[in-house]
Amino acid sequence: MTSTVPAPVARTADGHALQAVLLDMDGTLVDTEGFWWDVEVDIFRELGHRLDESWRDVVVGGPMSRSAAFLIESTGAAIDVASLSVLLNERFEARIADAVPLMPGAERLLSELARHNVPTALVSASHRRVIDRVLTSLGPERFAISIAGDEVPRTKPHPDPYLIAARTLGAHPSRCAVVEDTATGVASAEAAGCRVVAVPSVGLIPPAPGRTVVRSLEDVDLRFLRSLITPMN
């Protein structure tokens, strides 16, 4: 779905080559990756099964259908993917009913992007019902669009979510900076042709061409994101 020939990168009207910033949600902007795992552990305990801690790296950041299928196959639990997905969403929504904790640096970064009118998208593998709940804490006005995992033909690690986000914002993927916290999300953004900033939440993500790994969002600001996109004059 993405072109193999990079488009020329010219400067925008404000003198910068960066056209848009695309942000993951769970584990990147909000500290909820642990919530998902806790919910999964609780549900499978009620089903009579114990989840292996090593499986956490497998299910983190992926689409719910993939995570649910993996956990069912690994445990042999007597539940189907559709029923488990409903339970996961319901329990997760209950966990975030009061407030969603933001990751360090998230509030500052979102405020800076909004202040400079940088087109910004929320791109998540979570379902729409969950995204809309989290947006009440993040501030929906800070995002031009949001992409949910149950609204795209193929969600992460496929490139579709980021390609759709870039196209909707009128941006070329090569001129978009993506911030992700998992290997699954990084794979999705890189497959779309975006420049990626990885802020690992669970598991290691090594640096690679076109990818920068940082300690936390506190190390990320607009100047840094703009530096990732090099204009061709």
Side-chain angles (χ1 to χ4, degrees), residues 6 9 20 56 66 73 101 139 142 154 159-160 163 185 199 203 206 223 231:
V9 180
R56 185 172 181 174
R66 187 191 71 181
E73 181 180 357
R142 288 169 158 170
R154 302 178 303 172
D160 305 41
L163 290 174
V199 190
R223 181 178 181 181

Side-chain angles (χ1 to χ4, degrees), residues 18 20-30 33 61 103-106 108-110 112-113 118-125 143 156 162 165 173 175-190 194-201 205 210-222 224-226 228-229:
L18 177 69
V21 176
L22 316 178
L23 300 160
D24 174 54
M25 188 176 77
D26 294 299
T28 298
L29 292 177
V30 290
E33 288 291 11
M103 297 295 287
R108 175 197 49 76
L109 177 60
L110 290 174
E112 183 180 19
L113 294 175
V118 177
T120 304
L122 186 67
V123 184
S124 176
F143 302 92
K156 305 173 186 180
Y162 284 109
R175 299 181 66 176
C176 294
V178 169
V179 185
E180 272 280 1
D181 72 304
T182 67
T184 298
V186 167
S188 173
E190 290 181 345
C194 303
R195 294 301 300 266
V196 178
V197 178
V199 190
S201 63
I205 301 176
R211 178 197 311 165
T212 304
V213 181
V214 298
R215 178 184 57 85
S216 81
L217 279 185
E218 294 181 315
D219 299 324
V220 180
D221 58 17
L222 181 55
F224 171 74
L225 294 174
R226 283 173 169 167
L228 302 177
I229 314 297

Side-chain angles (χ1 to χ4, degrees), residues 1 6-7 18 32 70 75 88 109 118 133 141 191-192 197 199 207 209 233:
M1 295 179 66
L18 177 69
T32 50
F70 171 82
T75 60
L88 288 170
L109 177 60
V118 177
R133 181 66 66 87
E141 72 282 353
V197 178
V199 190
N233 299 315

